[in-house]
Amino acid sequence: MKTLLKSRTLLDRLQTEEAIETIKTTFAAVLSKKLDLKKISAPAVVWHGTGINDDLNGIENPISFKIKGFDSEKVEIVQSLAKWKRLRITELGIEAGKGILTDMRALRPDEDLSSIHSIYVDQWDWEKHITEGDRSLEYLKMSVEKIYSAICETEHLIAEQFPEIKSILPEKIHFVHTEELQEMYPEYSSKQREDKVAEQYGAVFIIGIGGDLVDGKPHDGRAPDYDDWTTPTSERNRGLNGDIVFWHPMLKRAFEISSMGIRVDRNAMLKQLKISKQQARKKLYFHQLLLNGKLSPSLGGGIGQSRLCMFLLRKSHIGEVQVGIWTPKIRKQYQEMGVELM
């Protein structure tokens, strides 16, 4: 809280709204060009019991409800679109090397409200059809560098339009494996390790999130049925997924911008379902399609829209860049710090 007490808003409310529009328009266009993506529509709800909706870390419960005239069948408000996007690129016949981009709007009622979390989630969800030969660490890193380049271009544009904001991202993003992070900072928790490496490099991609490390704990949780977090990439490292993390100058902490990865193939999903003791999912619609070879191999991820706006506009709370639900106590607390929540 001490850092927040010293913070100040660089842009007023109307300037912030203008800057948000610039960021969202610019970044989506640049990202689409760099990754060869086509903009498509996104669903707000998906059918319950199909395995299409994401449970993120494996424990979050989506909001579900019945629709008039549909008997007892239920639908769920999306939490993210990782599996839906893979279905969509297959259905649309997207050729290898190309992909799709959507504006995802989700509700995550199990989120703990904080300066970086709200129950409303908006992100650019993207998915790209790849070949089996692209399922490699090199291809993943190349894709991360393209995304990072798009973010840097957007930051430079914001700095030009709003002189109060200076570009701070380093020229290159640093890559590090979760196993390496544990060796570097064995006495720290995974979040503390992220703080350390983010502060050192400014921008990092942390590789291999989901599987247990030497201490028997994962760096962070990942559902077993979309990202591949078990495929070996060297003698000691595993995983074809990761997070893009920046050092946030206002919060003085690591700040996740994106979670992404090469998606599971048949073998990886079976292995990860077994590790997570969720083999029962094999019977679900999505999982049956994958097990029977009916889904395109893909790479994809989500990039937080409010998260990116919050970082690029040097905001201390996500409520400064999105209209959210906050308790009167939270609103009063931040108002006393000079931080106005939408």
Side-chain angles (χ1 to χ4, degrees):
M1 292 301 175
K2 292 181 180 179
T3 56
L4 287 177
L5 287 169
K6 296 177 182 178
S7 68
R8 66 185 182 88
T9 300
L10 299 178
L11 305 180
D12 64 27
R13 283 288 296 274
L14 286 179
Q15 287 177 313
T16 296
E17 294 284 10
E18 180 185 351
I20 289 172
E21 178 63 21
T22 298
I23 291 170
K24 291 186 176 183
T25 302
T26 301
F27 180 73
V30 176
L31 182 71
S32 295
K33 185 176 181 180
K34 289 183 180 293
L35 293 182
D36 206 348
L37 309 175
K38 292 288 187 182
K39 190 78 177 290
I40 69 166
S41 301
V45 297
V46 293
W47 289 109
H48 170 77
T50 60
I52 295 174
N53 203 3
D54 290 327
D55 53 1
L56 308 170
N57 292 322
I59 58 173
E60 291 86 350
N61 294 307
I63 298 171
S64 62
F65 57 93
K66 296 178 182 179
I67 302 176
K68 182 178 180 180
F70 280 81
D71 299 324
S72 61
E73 294 181 89
K74 293 194 297 184
V75 295
E76 300 173 350
I77 295 177
V78 298
Q79 295 197 120
S80 89
L81 297 174
K83 289 179 280 188
W84 177 87
K85 291 177 297 178
R86 193 168 180 182
L87 279 171
R88 188 60 81 206
I89 66 168
T90 303
E91 293 167 352
L92 293 175
I94 301 294
E95 62 183 281
K98 299 181 181 296
I100 58 174
L101 176 69
T102 71
D103 276 322
M104 191 277 294
R105 301 287 183 267
L107 293 178
R108 298 178 182 174
D110 287 338
E111 284 285 9
D112 294 322
L113 297 182
S114 72
S115 61
I116 62 173
H117 291 108
S118 70
I119 64 170
Y120 170 67
V121 180
D122 54 346
Q123 62 184 35
W124 293 283
D125 249 323
W126 62 275
E127 198 80 10
K128 189 171 183 178
H129 182 183
I130 63 175
T131 66
E132 288 296 336
D134 293 329
R135 300 192 80 257
S136 68
L137 185 58
E138 292 71 24
Y139 192 86
L140 175 65
K141 287 182 174 181
M142 178 185 68
S143 301
V144 170
E145 288 171 342
K146 290 180 179 180
I147 295 170
Y148 184 67
S149 174
I151 293 174
C152 288
E153 286 187 29
T154 307
E155 183 185 46
H156 292 324
L157 178 62
I158 289 296
E160 289 177 3
Q161 292 190 5
F162 301 93
E164 303 93 330
I165 296 174
K166 309 300 180 185
S167 295
I168 60 173
L169 286 173
E171 184 179 345
K172 293 183 179 181
I173 189 168
H174 179 75
F175 293 92
V176 62
H177 292 266
T178 52
E179 294 90 349
E180 294 171 338
L181 268 185
Q182 188 178 56
E183 291 177 4
M184 292 163 60
Y185 310 109
E187 70 276 23
Y188 294 114
S189 69
S190 58
K191 292 305 178 186
Q192 289 172 327
R193 293 172 202 153
E194 289 189 7
D195 288 341
K196 287 287 186 180
V197 74
E199 184 176 17
Q200 180 178 355
Y201 292 101
V204 295
F205 184 70
I206 301 173
I207 305 168
I209 298 177
D212 287 348
L213 301 173
V214 174
D215 61 3
K217 302 176 183 178
H219 180 84
D220 201 355
R222 282 294 184 276
D225 41 18
Y226 54 97
D227 282 352
D228 183 337
W229 39 262
T230 52
T231 293
T233 55
S234 71
E235 289 186 4
R236 62 172 183 163
N237 299 324
R238 293 170 299 165
L240 293 170
N241 72 336
D243 288 347
I244 296 176
V245 177
F246 296 159
W247 177 253
H248 196 299
M250 308 297 287
L251 300 179
K252 304 297 183 185
R253 55 161 292 178
F255 189 73
E256 181 189 327
I257 289 292
S258 173
S259 174
M260 59 176 285
I262 291 175
R263 307 310 193 188
V264 290
D265 58 10
R266 186 180 191 277
N267 292 334
M269 187 178 76
L270 288 173
K271 184 176 183 178
Q272 292 175 188
L273 288 175
K274 184 177 181 180
I275 291 172
S276 58
K277 296 180 174 59
Q278 298 187 57
Q279 292 98 320
R281 292 193 187 187
K282 291 188 291 185
K283 299 177 182 179
L284 298 175
Y285 172 69
F286 173 87
H287 302 69
Q288 281 294 303
L289 289 177
L290 178 57
L291 292 173
N292 290 310
K294 295 183 179 179
L295 292 179
S296 302
S298 66
L299 161 72
I303 302 165
Q305 294 186 10
S306 291
R307 283 284 184 96
L308 186 60
C309 291
M310 184 180 168
F311 176 83
L312 294 180
L313 302 182
R314 316 297 181 237
K315 299 293 187 178
S316 302
H317 196 287
I318 198 166
E320 294 181 87
V321 294
Q322 68 165 231
V323 180
I325 299 296
W326 310 106
T327 65
K329 181 179 179 181
I330 291 175
R331 287 189 177 277
K332 182 179 179 181
Q333 178 186 22
Y334 277 87
Q335 189 175 33
E336 290 174 351
M337 299 174 187
V339 177
E340 185 179 5
L341 307 184
M342 292 184 178

